[in-house]
Coordinates of all heavy atoms in Angstrom, one line a residue:
M22 N 0.8 -1.2 0.0 CA 0.0 0.0 0.0 C 0.9 1.2 0.0 O 1.9 1.2 0.6 CB -0.9 0.0 1.2 CG -2.1 -0.8 1.1 SD -3.5 -0.4 2.2 CE -2.9 -1.1 3.7
K23 N 0.4 2.3 -0.6 CA 1.0 3.6 -0.7 C 0.3 4.6 0.2 O -0.9 4.7 0.1 CB 1.1 4.1 -2.1 CG 2.0 3.5 -3.0 CD 2.2 4.3 -4.3 CE 1.6 3.6 -5.4 NZ 1.7 4.4 -6.7
K24 N 1.1 5.3 0.9 CA 0.5 6.4 1.7 C 0.3 7.6 0.7 O 1.2 8.0 0.0 CB 1.4 6.9 2.8 CG 0.9 8.0 3.6 CD 1.8 8.4 4.7 CE 1.5 9.7 5.3 NZ 2.5 10.1 6.3
L25 N -1.0 8.1 0.6 CA -1.3 9.2 -0.3 C -1.3 10.6 0.4 O -1.0 11.6 -0.2 CB -2.6 9.0 -1.0 CG -2.7 7.7 -1.9 CD1 -4.0 7.6 -2.5 CD2 -1.6 7.8 -3.0
A26 N -1.9 10.6 1.6 CA -2.1 11.9 2.3 C -2.3 11.7 3.8 O -2.6 10.6 4.3 CB -3.4 12.5 1.7
T27 N -2.1 12.8 4.5 CA -2.3 12.8 6.0 C -3.4 13.9 6.2 O -3.3 15.0 5.6 CB -1.0 13.2 6.7 OG1 0.0 12.2 6.4 CG2 -1.3 13.2 8.2
A28 N -4.3 13.6 7.1 CA -5.4 14.6 7.4 C -4.8 15.7 8.2 O -3.7 15.6 8.8 CB -6.5 13.9 8.2
D29 N -5.5 16.8 8.3 CA -5.1 18.0 9.0 C -4.9 17.7 10.5 O -4.1 18.3 11.2 CB -6.1 19.1 8.9 CG -6.2 19.7 7.5 OD1 -5.2 19.5 6.7 OD2 -7.2 20.2 7.1
D30 N -5.6 16.7 11.1 CA -5.5 16.4 12.5 C -4.1 15.6 12.8 O -3.7 15.5 13.9 CB -6.6 15.5 13.0 CG -6.8 14.2 12.4 OD1 -5.8 13.7 11.6 OD2 -7.8 13.5 12.6
G31 N -3.5 15.2 11.7 CA -2.2 14.5 11.9 C -2.3 13.0 12.3 O -1.3 12.4 12.4
W32 N -3.5 12.6 12.6 CA -3.6 11.2 13.1 C -4.2 10.2 12.0 O -4.0 9.0 12.1 CB -4.6 11.1 14.3 CG -3.9 11.6 15.6 CD1 -4.0 12.9 16.1 CD2 -3.1 10.9 16.4 NE1 -3.3 12.9 17.2 CE2 -2.7 11.7 17.5 CE3 -2.6 9.6 16.4 CZ2 -1.9 11.3 18.5 CZ3 -1.8 9.2 17.4 CH2 -1.4 10.0 18.5
S33 N -4.9 10.8 11.1 CA -5.5 9.9 10.0 C -4.7 10.0 8.8 O -4.2 11.1 8.4 CB -6.9 10.4 9.7 OG -7.7 10.4 10.9
E34 N -4.6 8.9 8.1 CA -3.8 8.8 6.8 C -4.6 8.1 5.8 O -5.4 7.1 6.1 CB -2.5 8.1 7.0 CG -1.5 8.7 8.0 CD -0.3 7.9 8.2 OE1 -0.2 6.7 7.7 OE2 0.6 8.4 8.8
L35 N -4.4 8.5 4.5 CA -5.1 7.8 3.4 C -4.0 6.9 2.7 O -2.9 7.4 2.4 CB -5.7 8.8 2.4 CG -6.3 8.2 1.2 CD1 -7.6 7.4 1.6 CD2 -6.7 9.3 0.2
H36 N -4.4 5.7 2.5 CA -3.5 4.7 1.8 C -4.3 4.2 0.6 O -5.5 4.1 0.6 CB -3.1 3.6 2.7 CG -2.2 4.1 3.8 ND1 -0.9 3.9 3.8 CD2 -2.5 4.7 5.0 CE1 -0.4 4.4 4.9 NE2 -1.3 4.9 5.6
Y37 N -3.5 3.8 -0.4 CA -4.0 3.2 -1.7 C -3.4 1.9 -1.9 O -2.1 1.8 -1.9 CB -3.8 4.1 -2.8 CG -4.4 3.6 -4.1 CD1 -5.8 3.6 -4.4 CD2 -3.5 3.2 -5.1 CE1 -6.3 3.1 -5.6 CE2 -4.0 2.7 -6.3 CZ -5.4 2.7 -6.5 OH -5.9 2.2 -7.7
D38 N -4.2 0.8 -2.2 CA -3.6 -0.5 -2.5 C -3.6 -0.6 -4.1 O -4.6 -0.7 -4.7 CB -4.5 -1.6 -1.9 CG -4.0 -3.0 -2.1 OD1 -3.2 -3.2 -3.1 OD2 -4.4 -3.8 -1.3
D39 N -2.4 -0.7 -4.6 CA -2.2 -0.8 -6.1 C -2.8 -2.1 -6.6 O -3.2 -2.1 -7.8 CB -0.7 -0.7 -6.4 CG -0.1 0.6 -6.2 OD1 -0.8 1.6 -6.2 OD2 1.2 0.7 -6.1
V40 N -2.7 -3.1 -5.9 CA -3.2 -4.4 -6.4 C -4.7 -4.5 -6.5 O -5.2 -4.9 -7.5 CB -2.7 -5.6 -5.4 CG1 -3.2 -6.9 -5.8 CG2 -1.2 -5.6 -5.4
T41 N -5.4 -4.0 -5.5 CA -6.9 -4.1 -5.5 C -7.6 -2.8 -6.0 O -8.7 -2.8 -6.3 CB -7.4 -4.4 -4.1 OG1 -7.1 -3.3 -3.3 CG2 -6.8 -5.7 -3.6
G42 N -6.8 -1.7 -6.0 CA -7.4 -0.4 -6.4 C -8.3 0.2 -5.4 O -9.2 1.0 -5.7
R43 N -8.1 -0.2 -4.1 CA -9.0 0.3 -3.0 C -8.3 1.3 -2.1 O -7.0 1.2 -2.0 CB -9.5 -0.9 -2.2 CG -10.4 -1.9 -3.0 CD -11.0 -3.0 -2.2 NE -9.9 -3.7 -1.5 CZ -10.2 -4.7 -0.6 NH1 -11.4 -5.1 -0.4 NH2 -9.2 -5.4 -0.1
Y44 N -9.0 2.1 -1.5 CA -8.5 3.1 -0.6 C -8.8 2.7 0.8 O -9.8 2.1 1.1 CB -9.2 4.5 -0.8 CG -8.9 5.1 -2.1 CD1 -9.6 4.8 -3.3 CD2 -7.8 5.9 -2.3 CE1 -9.3 5.4 -4.5 CE2 -7.5 6.5 -3.5 CZ -8.3 6.2 -4.6 OH -7.9 6.8 -5.8
F45 N -7.8 3.0 1.7 CA -8.0 2.7 3.1 C -7.6 3.9 4.0 O -6.6 4.6 3.6 CB -7.1 1.5 3.5 CG -7.5 0.2 2.8 CD1 -7.0 -0.1 1.6 CD2 -8.4 -0.6 3.5 CE1 -7.4 -1.3 1.0 CE2 -8.8 -1.8 2.9 CZ -8.3 -2.2 1.7
E46 N -8.3 4.1 5.1 CA -8.0 5.1 6.0 C -7.3 4.5 7.3 O -7.9 3.6 7.9 CB -9.2 5.9 6.4 CG -8.9 7.1 7.3 CD -10.0 8.0 7.6 OE1 -11.1 7.5 7.8 OE2 -9.9 9.2 7.6
K47 N -6.2 5.0 7.6 CA -5.5 4.5 8.8 C -5.8 5.5 9.9 O -5.6 6.7 9.8 CB -4.0 4.5 8.6 CG -3.2 4.0 9.8 CD -1.7 4.1 9.5 CE -0.8 3.8 10.6 NZ 0.6 4.0 10.3
T48 N -6.4 4.9 11.0 CA -6.8 5.7 12.2 C -6.3 5.1 13.4 O -5.8 3.9 13.4 CB -8.3 5.9 12.3 OG1 -8.9 4.7 12.4 CG2 -8.8 6.7 11.1
Y49 N -6.4 5.8 14.5 CA -6.0 5.3 15.8 C -7.2 5.4 16.8 O -7.3 6.4 17.5 CB -4.8 6.0 16.4 CG -3.5 5.8 15.6 CD1 -3.3 6.6 14.4 CD2 -2.6 4.8 15.9 CE1 -2.1 6.4 13.7 CE2 -1.5 4.6 15.2 CZ -1.2 5.4 14.1 OH -0.1 5.2 13.3
P50 N -8.1 4.4 16.7 CA -9.3 4.5 17.5 C -9.1 4.5 19.0 O -10.0 4.9 19.8 CB -10.2 3.4 17.0 CG -9.2 2.4 16.5 CD -8.1 3.2 15.9
E51 N -8.0 4.0 19.5 CA -7.7 4.0 20.9 C -6.6 5.0 21.2 O -5.6 4.7 21.9 CB -7.3 2.5 21.3 CG -8.4 1.5 21.0 CD -8.0 0.1 21.2 OE1 -6.8 -0.2 21.3 OE2 -8.9 -0.8 21.1
S52 N -6.8 6.2 20.8 CA -5.8 7.2 20.9 C -5.5 7.6 22.3 O -4.5 8.3 22.6 CB -6.2 8.5 20.1 OG -7.4 9.0 20.6
D53 N -6.3 7.2 23.3 CA -6.0 7.5 24.7 C -4.9 6.6 25.2 O -4.3 6.9 26.3 CB -7.3 7.3 25.5 CG -7.9 5.9 25.4 OD1 -7.9 5.3 24.3 OD2 -8.3 5.4 26.5
Q54 N -4.5 5.5 24.5 CA -3.4 4.7 24.9 C -2.1 5.3 24.6 O -2.0 6.1 23.7 CB -3.6 3.3 24.3 CG -4.8 2.5 24.7 CD -4.8 1.1 24.1 OE1 -3.9 0.7 23.3 NE2 -5.8 0.4 24.4
H55 N -1.0 4.8 25.2 CA 0.3 5.3 25.0 C 0.7 5.1 23.5 O 0.5 4.0 23.0 CB 1.3 4.5 25.9 CG 2.7 4.9 25.7 ND1 3.2 6.2 26.1 CD2 3.7 4.3 25.1 CE1 4.5 6.3 25.7 NE2 4.8 5.2 25.1
G56 N 1.2 6.1 22.9 CA 1.6 6.1 21.5 C 0.4 6.0 20.5 O 0.6 5.8 19.3
G57 N -0.8 6.2 21.0 CA -2.0 6.3 20.1 C -2.7 4.9 19.9 O -3.6 4.8 19.3
G58 N -2.1 3.9 20.6 CA -2.7 2.5 20.4 C -2.4 1.9 19.1 O -1.6 2.4 18.3
Q59 N -3.1 0.8 18.8 CA -2.9 0.1 17.6 C -3.6 0.8 16.4 O -4.7 1.2 16.6 CB -3.4 -1.3 17.7 CG -2.6 -2.2 18.6 CD -1.2 -2.5 18.1 OE1 -1.0 -2.7 16.9 NE2 -0.3 -2.5 19.0
P60 N -2.9 0.9 15.3 CA -3.6 1.5 14.1 C -4.7 0.6 13.5 O -4.6 -0.6 13.7 CB -2.5 1.7 13.1 CG -1.4 0.7 13.5 CD -1.6 0.5 14.9
R61 N -5.7 1.2 12.9 CA -6.7 0.4 12.2 C -6.8 0.9 10.8 O -6.8 2.1 10.6 CB -8.0 0.5 13.0 CG -9.1 -0.3 12.4 CD -10.4 -0.3 13.2 NE -11.1 0.9 12.9 CZ -12.2 1.3 13.7 NH1 -12.5 0.7 14.8 NH2 -12.8 2.4 13.4
F62 N -7.0 0.0 9.9 CA -7.2 0.3 8.5 C -8.6 0.0 8.1 O -9.0 -1.2 8.2 CB -6.2 -0.5 7.6 CG -4.8 0.0 7.6 CD1 -4.0 -0.4 8.6 CD2 -4.4 1.0 6.7 CE1 -2.6 0.1 8.7 CE2 -3.1 1.4 6.8 CZ -2.2 1.0 7.7
D63 N -9.4 1.0 7.6 CA -10.8 0.8 7.2 C -10.8 1.2 5.7 O -10.3 2.2 5.3 CB -11.7 1.6 8.0 CG -11.8 1.2 9.4 OD1 -12.0 0.0 9.7 OD2 -11.7 2.1 10.3
E64 N -11.5 0.3 4.9 CA -11.7 0.7 3.5 C -12.7 1.8 3.4 O -13.7 1.9 4.2 CB -12.3 -0.5 2.8 CG -12.4 -0.3 1.3 CD -12.9 -1.5 0.5 OE1 -13.1 -2.5 1.1 OE2 -13.1 -1.3 -0.7
V65 N -12.3 2.8 2.6 CA -13.2 4.0 2.3 C -13.4 4.1 0.8 O -12.6 3.6 0.0 CB -12.6 5.3 2.9 CG1 -12.5 5.2 4.4 CG2 -11.2 5.6 2.3
S66 N -14.5 4.8 0.5 CA -14.7 5.1 -1.0 C -13.8 6.1 -1.5 O -13.2 7.0 -0.8 CB -16.2 5.5 -1.1 OG -16.4 6.8 -0.6
E67 N -13.7 6.1 -2.8 CA -12.8 7.2 -3.5 C -13.4 8.5 -3.2 O -12.7 9.5 -3.0 CB -12.7 6.9 -5.0 CG -11.8 7.9 -5.7 CD -11.6 7.6 -7.1 OE1 -12.0 6.5 -7.6 OE2 -11.1 8.5 -7.8
T68 N -14.8 8.6 -3.2 CA -15.4 9.9 -3.0 C -15.1 10.4 -1.6 O -14.7 11.6 -1.4 CB -17.0 9.8 -3.1 OG1 -17.3 9.3 -4.4 CG2 -17.7 11.1 -2.8
F69 N -15.2 9.6 -0.6 CA -14.8 10.0 0.8 C -13.4 10.4 0.8 O -13.0 11.5 1.4 CB -15.0 8.8 1.8 CG -14.5 9.1 3.1 CD1 -15.3 9.7 4.1 CD2 -13.2 8.7 3.5 CE1 -14.9 9.9 5.4 CE2 -12.8 8.9 4.8 CZ -13.6 9.5 5.7
A70 N -12.5 9.6 0.2 CA -11.0 9.9 0.2 C -10.8 11.3 -0.4 O -10.0 12.1 0.2 CB -10.3 8.9 -0.5
R71 N -11.4 11.6 -1.5 CA -11.2 12.9 -2.2 C -11.7 14.0 -1.4 O -11.1 15.1 -1.4 CB -11.8 12.8 -3.6 CG -11.0 11.9 -4.6 CD -11.5 12.0 -6.0 NE -10.8 11.2 -6.9 CZ -9.6 11.5 -7.4 NH1 -9.0 12.6 -7.1 NH2 -8.9 10.6 -8.2
Q72 N -12.8 13.8 -0.8 CA -13.4 14.9 0.0 C -12.6 15.2 1.3 O -12.3 16.4 1.5 CB -14.9 14.6 0.4 CG -15.8 14.7 -0.8 CD -17.2 14.2 -0.4 OE1 -17.4 13.7 0.7 NE2 -18.2 14.5 -1.2
K73 N -12.3 14.2 2.0 CA -11.5 14.4 3.3 C -10.1 14.8 3.1 O -9.6 15.7 3.8 CB -11.6 13.2 4.2 CG -10.9 13.4 5.5 CD -11.1 12.2 6.5 CE -10.4 12.5 7.8 NZ -10.7 11.5 8.8
Y74 N -9.4 14.2 2.1 CA -8.0 14.4 1.9 C -7.7 15.4 0.8 O -6.5 15.7 0.5 CB -7.3 13.1 1.7 CG -7.3 12.3 3.0 CD1 -8.3 11.3 3.2 CD2 -6.4 12.4 4.0 CE1 -8.4 10.6 4.4 CE2 -6.5 11.7 5.2 CZ -7.5 10.8 5.4 OH -7.5 10.1 6.5
Q75 N -8.7 15.8 0.1 CA -8.6 16.9 -1.0 C -7.5 16.6 -2.0 O -6.5 17.4 -2.1 CB -8.5 18.2 -0.3 CG -9.6 18.6 0.6 CD -9.4 19.9 1.3 OE1 -8.4 20.5 1.2 NE2 -10.4 20.2 2.1
F76 N -7.5 15.5 -2.6 CA -6.5 15.2 -3.6 C -7.2 15.0 -5.0 O -8.4 14.8 -5.1 CB -5.7 13.9 -3.2 CG -6.4 12.6 -3.4 CD1 -6.2 11.9 -4.5 CD2 -7.3 12.2 -2.4 CE1 -6.8 10.6 -4.6 CE2 -7.9 11.0 -2.5 CZ -7.7 10.2 -3.7

């Protein structure tokens, strides 16, 4: 996967999978834990990705 963008909050990232052509958002849902907790990757639509990450 390739990292395409980082959100203004600095915690969320947009990634793209060249093999499948899908977009994923990397977030830290347990951000109260030390170091932000474990990252989570959720599939998102291209429309969502373009709107949130403005690319």
Side-chain angles (χ1 to χ4, degrees):
M22 278 200 282
K23 284 195 250 181
K24 179 180 165 186
L25 298 179
T27 301
D29 292 337
D30 65 10
W32 284 97
S33 303
E34 297 176 352
L35 179 66
H36 294 258
Y37 180 74
D38 185 336
D39 291 340
V40 175
T41 64
R43 297 185 302 176
Y44 293 90
F45 293 88
E46 185 176 41
K47 178 182 175 183
T48 59
Y49 294 86
E51 299 169 351
S52 59
D53 58 320
Q54 293 184 359
H55 180 71
Q59 292 293 320
R61 183 172 83 191
F62 286 85
D63 293 308
E64 185 175 358
V65 296
S66 69
E67 182 176 350
T68 301
F69 173 88
R71 290 187 179 278
Q72 288 175 347
K73 181 170 180 178
Y74 294 94
Q75 302 174 359
F76 74 98

